[in-house]
Amino acid sequence: DIQMTQSPATLSASEGDRVTITCRASQSISSWLAWYQQKPGKAPKLLIYKASTLESGVPSRFSGSGSGTEFTLTISSLQPDDFATYYCQQYNSYSRTFGQGTRVEIK
Amino acid sequence: EVHLVESGEGLVQPGGSLKLSCAASGFTFSSYAIYWVRQAPGKGLEYVSGISNDGGVTSYADSVKGRFTISRDNSKNTVYLQMGSLRADDMAVYYCVRGQGWNGAGTYFDSWGQGTLVTVSS
């Protein structure tokens, strides 16, 4: 199975900060990567698919990049609503594995 | 608007069985693959199972293969997850999700239900 590794596990940041989360795949997944945001007690929400395509309705401060084995999710200017946990997910293979998550907390 | 509503929440003893349902609305149900993704308390997300739009193809995570069975009834816009031989590590919130962007191997998940809790305990 393809393993997905996110870093960091926890990120402390302030409103207005530029934030970058990294996701690495154990083998090439082309651009078959999605990012999700999850708030406590809520279902995850799709942010980005195919590594860099913004889901409809998602603010433009979110962006994704990368291909092959290394990917990043960037929030250009952190807003209060963005404090949450973020997950990457590969869909290059049937295993559809998720990263372990990155919690973005208030500094 | 897409709606996925899970039901079947419950407490079951180790070794027991439970059936979850996912009722869908707001889209052409028979055109989409549907999946189950779970999240153990305080943990991350784990793919569990999926079924193609016509029910002809199913997939399972190794951790549930042989114990769980996914099915669907397109006349009722509903997907089911029959869970058997339940273990403590099956305890989780189970989300019903809609698949999107089929690339011949996988999909991402563009819509999620609110989740239903399965508790496995004696």
Side-chain angles (χ1 to χ4, degrees):
Chain A
D1 284 358
I2 298 174
Q3 307 302 316
M4 306 301 293
T5 303
Q6 286 183 235
S7 60
T10 305
L11 189 160
S12 298
S14 302
E15 186 177 336
D17 285 353
R18 181 181 180 89
V19 165
T20 298
I21 298 168
T22 298
C23 179
R24 291 187 173 87
S26 59
Q27 64 188 73
S28 177
I29 58 170
S30 184
S31 296
W32 305 122
L33 185 98
W35 289 97
Y36 303 87
Q37 176 194 66
Q38 187 180 32
K39 297 180 180 178
K42 300 293 187 183
K45 172 189 170 185
L46 175 66
L47 298 176
I48 286 168
Y49 60 93
K50 209 172 179 184
S52 61
T53 303
L54 204 63
E55 172 72 342
S56 176
V58 174
S60 59
R61 63 180 179 272
F62 290 92
S63 64
S65 65
S67 66
T69 61
E70 187 151 337
F71 303 84
T72 59
L73 172 69
T74 299
I75 309 173
S76 60
S77 177
L78 201 64
Q79 299 301 301
D81 191 49
D82 302 337
F83 292 97
T85 300
Y86 295 84
Y87 294 93
C88 62
Q89 177 234 336
Q90 66 82 14
Y91 54 105
N92 183 71
S93 75
Y94 285 103
S95 59
R96 300 174 181 91
T97 41
F98 291 87
Q100 80 278 19
T102 294
R103 183 183 171 210
V104 177
E105 61 179 28
I106 300 172
K107 192 172 185 179
Chain B
E1 186 181 357
V2 175
H3 279 290
L4 298 164
V5 180
E6 304 93 339
S7 59
E9 174 171 316
L11 168 64
V12 61
Q13 291 186 337
S17 300
L18 194 66
K19 187 173 186 176
L20 304 182
S21 299
C22 170
S25 62
F27 63 102
T28 304
F29 182 72
S30 60
S31 295
Y32 289 86
I34 302 293
Y35 302 84
W36 291 92
V37 173
R38 69 185 180 184
Q39 186 170 37
K43 301 298 184 182
L45 302 168
E46 179 188 16
Y47 171 77
V48 174
S49 182
I51 188 166
S52 63
N53 64 312
D54 63 358
V57 179
T58 59
S59 66
Y60 300 92
D62 287 344
S63 58
V64 307
K65 204 170 290 183
R67 301 187 299 120
F68 290 12
T69 302
I70 191 171
S71 61
R72 67 189 291 161
D73 185 340
N74 283 352
S75 69
K76 296 182 178 178
N77 284 9
T78 302
V79 169
Y80 306 96
L81 185 68
Q82 177 69 54
M83 304 184 293
S85 301
L86 283 162
R87 313 186 301 221
D89 62 359
D90 293 317
M91 185 163 71
V93 173
Y94 284 73
Y95 294 102
C96 173
V97 298
R98 188 177 79 167
Q100 190 66 274
W102 173 250
N103 63 7
T107 54
Y108 60 90
F109 307 125
D110 71 340
S111 298
W112 297 63
Q114 84 285 355
T116 192
L117 178 62
V118 173
T119 303
V120 183
S121 175
S122 55

